[in-house]
Amino acid sequence: MRVLVTGAGGMVGRALVARLHQPTDAELLTPRRDELDLLDRAEVARYFTKHQPDVVIHAAGRVGGIADNIADPVTFLRDNAAMGINVVGSALDTGVARLLNIGSSCMYPRDWRQPLVEEDLLQGALEPTNEGYAIAKIMTERLCRYAAADGKTYRTVIPSNLYGPHDHFEAARAHLVAAAIAKVHRAKTDRAPTVEVWGDGTARREFTYVDDLATWVSQVLGRLEELPVAVNAGSGTDHSVREYYELISDVVGYDGELTFDTSRPVGMRQKLMDSSLAAAAGWRPATSLADGLRQTYSWYLEHAAPSASGVS
């Protein structure tokens, strides 16, 4: 079985490749950006024609934090839509029968019922701060849904927010957990008395350790037909932004104070998903938040934390 993993250099892609490399009969295709430009439709088509993958995992995407999404919605919509069309379109054109698309909880309506279920997609207005990204991800999910209705085994897994090794820790691109780890570590290193948090700290988020998702995907890849056309995969528990910062402060060993800037955007007030359909297919996230944060911070210290000279 020849498996193509797009986005193999990203956090999700790296975790998937590591799991799929474990004893298996799979031959992995893991082109990086300099080998395959997913924004170039003709190049993607040629790659599919040449390599003829049996299964595709589409994990590539342009991602960023809330500030990045607000500043450049055009690029987030354009690039993610193009990747989805090019990858799923080329899979269809070359007869790939099985494809797993990695979606995003950003696809769900803002201020909607909690927990979110798969039928909630397209039932309400999106969160404005990441609308461009969300529209592109929804478009790819719909393309997979239409292909499934036409007999293809194309499925979309919608994970909660993810964190772990190889996350983006840069201020502009980082999501909550990675951004908080970098900020709190910097405050500890600089002996700063406070860390600034965007918003009032009450917004709630669900985070899942990336290796838990990769483990499950590797287990269900050979039986995608058992999954619903779209399926949530989250930890099942959410926490407030304040709680994440407090937990991370404990992990980092920082004893300063948190300050809250309520003039800053915070996005959706809550985003907790119902993952019972995934649980019926064996979804059992095993990593506690405390353990996941410790492992992520350990990786950050070794690979991403600024050195004393200020150079990573």
Side-chain angles (χ1 to χ4, degrees), residues 14 29 52 71 82 85 94 107-108 140 163 182 199 210-211 217 290 303:
R14 286 175 183 267
L29 302 172
Q52 294 291 313
I85 289 174
T94 55
M107 296 157 57
Y108 281 110
T140 305
Y163 72 102
V210 68
D211 190 58
V217 167
H303 299 280

Side-chain angles (χ1 to χ4, degrees), residues 108-282:
Y108 281 110
R110 67 178 304 195
D111 300 330
W112 206 246
R113 62 177 172 181
Q114 304 288 317
L116 297 156
V117 297
E118 291 83 355
E119 289 77 12
D120 291 333
L121 291 171
L122 288 179
Q123 296 305 301
L126 299 167
E127 164 58 39
T129 57
N130 54 30
E131 185 182 74
Y133 176 78
I135 288 172
K137 300 299 281 187
I138 290 169
M139 187 210 68
T140 305
E141 187 276 334
R142 290 289 128 166
L143 188 54
C144 292
R145 185 180 292 264
Y146 302 153
D150 200 34
K152 299 288 187 182
T153 307
Y154 284 28
R155 302 290 187 266
T156 295
V157 170
I158 306 173
S160 73
N161 293 303
L162 299 169
Y163 72 102
H166 303 285
D167 205 343
H168 294 295
F169 293 89
E170 307 90 345
R173 302 185 68 187
H175 291 102
L176 170 60
V177 167
I181 286 174
K183 287 167 68 174
V184 173
H185 172 79
R186 185 166 58 249
K188 178 186 176 183
T189 302
D190 295 345
R191 295 186 174 87
T194 62
V195 169
E196 181 185 275
V197 180
W198 283 21
D200 63 5
T202 61
R204 303 186 69 83
R205 293 291 182 269
E206 176 185 18
F207 272 86
T208 302
Y209 191 61
V210 68
D211 190 58
D212 287 340
L213 177 70
T215 299
W216 182 64
V217 167
S218 70
Q219 293 168 351
V220 300
L221 196 59
R223 48 187 178 91
L224 291 181
E225 64 280 351
E226 298 178 13
L227 298 182
V229 66
V231 58
N232 293 336
S235 64
T237 304
D238 64 356
H239 297 274
S240 71
V241 171
R242 175 190 284 272
E243 289 171 326
Y244 281 112
Y245 269 89
E246 289 173 345
L247 288 165
I248 288 167
S249 293
D250 288 342
V251 168
V252 173
Y254 175 70
D255 58 5
E257 298 293 325
L258 302 177
T259 62
F260 297 89
D261 185 348
T262 57
S263 70
R264 298 284 195 167
V266 297
M268 292 171 67
R269 298 303 306 176
Q270 186 178 19
K271 205 165 46 166
L272 176 66
M273 302 191 308
D274 181 332
S275 299
S276 56
L277 294 180

Side-chain angles (χ1 to χ4, degrees), residues 20-33:
L20 292 169
H21 265 313
Q22 295 179 1
T24 177
D25 62 354
E27 175 190 346
L28 298 184
L29 302 172
T30 58
R32 300 300 176 92
R33 190 175 304 173

Side-chain angles (χ1 to χ4, degrees), residues 3 50 168 178 193:
V3 181
K50 178 180 178 179
H168 294 295

Side-chain angles (χ1 to χ4, degrees), residues 3-55:
V3 181
L4 169 62
V5 181
T6 68
M11 176 178 66
V12 176
R14 286 175 183 267
L16 286 167
V17 169
R19 283 296 172 183
L20 292 169
H21 265 313
Q22 295 179 1
T24 177
D25 62 354
E27 175 190 346
L28 298 184
L29 302 172
T30 58
R32 300 300 176 92
R33 190 175 304 173
D34 58 350
E35 301 172 82
L36 175 61
D37 182 1
L38 295 177
L39 299 178
D40 187 326
R41 187 171 187 175
E43 186 175 334
V44 174
R46 287 193 297 269
Y47 187 93
F48 272 75
T49 299
K50 178 180 178 179
H51 294 281
Q52 294 291 313
D54 300 300
V55 183

